[in-house]
Amino acid sequence: QDNADIVRQLRAAENQVVMAAESLYVALLEMDLTDASLGRSLDTLERSIQEMELRYELGQISALQLQQTKSGRTSLVSGLDTLQMNIRNYKLQLEMLIGAELTGEIELGAMPSVTDQELEKMDEEADLAAAKEQSYEIYAAEQTLEDAQDAYAENMTSVLYLKDSVERTLEAAKYTYNASIQDYELRFRMLYAQVQDYRQILSAAQTALACEQASYAAQELKYQQGSISENTLLSARDTLQEAEETVESAKNDLFSAYNSYCWAVEHGILNG
């Protein structure tokens, strides 16, 4: 039994390492989206600086106004540099976790998609029961309670024992066990609700993207007809790309939450 307990504990620790690597993977995907967003903001700011320089030459703005705009670029470039440093650090950590050579240049594969069929199969009550059955956290709480019950039985048969003290110790162990069960169930139900919420957030983001695609197509037509400027078209393109990134971010959130849910159901591991 002792060996079985140790093996179960080691399996749980092993699964935690795998989950940590998967969490880094999702975090890196999100950081890539942030990098693209900041890059787009930098392009937009570059266009603004060109416009401000022209207006300055025409005497429409002051040197201070031009300098303020350029200082914004310096701040944005600094933020990009910091983000890229963090991306490299995260990649190094991921390489270490998977036993790869530490280069900080690992290429990420495409994020797996979560299908409607997978989401429809989710059953809160049945999945919760399965998660509790697999959970080392719950198992450890049960072992702690059993140890307290065994100690209580031994003390009750002893000639020398303090009844009140022994009973208080057992009651405390029962309270701790029940609290552990309730906390686990609460976290599982919150995770289930989170998956459903991210599902509707993704749906809303996809609807908004469809609207932006139609809007951008209309702006392209206007540009071809000469009724809007190139800058106006580029601004519309920025808005479209932002909507695309919002969809990708929502997909990341949904995958991350659903993946955590699967870990809970299949292995009993429930973080957070």
Side-chain angles (χ1 to χ4, degrees):
Q1 181 62 45
D2 288 343
N3 288 339
D5 290 346
I6 292 172
V7 169
R8 186 163 184 168
Q9 184 177 18
L10 289 173
R11 292 297 184 197
E14 180 182 51
N15 287 332
Q16 289 283 3
V17 173
V18 178
M19 284 191 69
E22 292 182 354
S23 296
L24 276 174
Y25 165 77
V26 173
L28 278 166
L29 289 176
E30 193 65 31
M31 292 170 80
D32 282 342
L33 286 176
T34 302
D35 185 55
S37 177
L38 288 176
R40 188 181 63 253
S41 297
L42 182 59
D43 290 340
T44 301
L45 188 56
E46 293 282 10
R47 295 198 301 268
S48 295
I49 290 174
Q50 290 178 357
E51 180 183 343
M52 295 290 277
E53 286 177 337
L54 178 59
R55 292 179 62 190
Y56 174 71
E57 291 173 1
L58 296 173
Q60 296 177 354
I61 62 171
S62 66
L64 177 60
Q65 289 174 303
L66 177 59
Q67 186 58 41
Q68 287 174 335
T69 303
K70 288 184 175 181
S71 67
R73 181 188 183 281
T74 302
S75 177
L76 190 54
V77 169
S78 175
L80 266 169
D81 289 342
T82 300
L83 177 62
Q84 288 165 1
M85 178 200 68
N86 288 331
I87 288 175
R88 185 175 186 277
N89 288 340
Y90 271 47
K91 286 187 173 183
L92 285 169
Q93 293 178 49
L94 181 58
E95 288 166 345
M96 181 187 68
L97 283 172
I98 66 176
E101 183 181 357
L102 300 182
T103 64
E105 298 176 357
I106 188 172
E107 294 293 330
L108 301 181
M111 182 189 65
S113 59
V114 181
T115 66
D116 289 336
Q117 290 80 3
E118 289 172 323
L119 294 172
E120 293 300 331
K121 286 182 180 178
M122 292 174 62
D123 184 319
E124 185 174 2
E125 298 305 325
D127 290 344
L128 173 57
K132 290 168 67 176
E133 184 67 24
Q134 295 293 327
S135 172
Y136 178 78
E137 182 181 339
I138 297 296
Y139 177 77
E142 291 172 346
Q143 293 302 304
T144 300
L145 177 59
E146 288 180 10
D147 290 344
Q149 291 171 334
D150 291 343
Y152 175 79
E154 290 176 8
N155 281 302
M156 288 299 291
T157 59
S158 175
V159 177
L160 298 175
Y161 76 95
L162 298 174
K163 181 179 179 181
D164 289 344
S165 176
V166 171
E167 289 181 346
R168 282 197 297 270
T169 300
L170 179 59
E171 287 302 313
K174 290 179 179 178
Y175 175 82
T176 300
Y177 171 75
N178 290 332
S180 297
I181 297 296
Q182 290 177 349
D183 178 67
Y184 187 90
E185 291 179 349
L186 174 62
R187 285 183 287 137
F188 184 90
R189 295 186 190 282
M190 289 175 64
L191 180 56
Y192 176 88
Q194 188 179 57
V195 174
Q196 303 305 319
D197 187 46
Y198 282 142
R199 183 184 188 182
Q200 67 86 15
I201 289 174
L202 173 58
S203 178
Q206 289 170 330
T207 300
L209 174 59
C211 293
E212 290 300 335
Q213 288 171 333
S215 176
Y216 181 72
Q219 294 292 82
E220 273 190 316
L221 180 59
K222 289 181 181 179
Y223 176 72
Q224 292 167 2
Q225 294 172 342
S227 59
I228 62 172
S229 67
E230 183 180 5
N231 273 357
T232 301
L233 178 63
L234 291 175
S235 295
R237 187 189 65 183
D238 288 344
T239 302
L240 174 60
Q241 290 176 339
E242 182 179 350
E244 291 171 342
E245 289 165 5
T246 299
V247 169
E248 291 303 311
S249 181
K251 287 181 178 179
N252 287 353
D253 289 338
L254 177 59
F255 170 75
S256 179
Y258 180 75
N259 190 51
S260 296
Y261 186 86
C262 290
W263 271 101
V265 175
E266 296 169 13
H267 302 282
I269 298 177
L270 190 58
N271 293 330

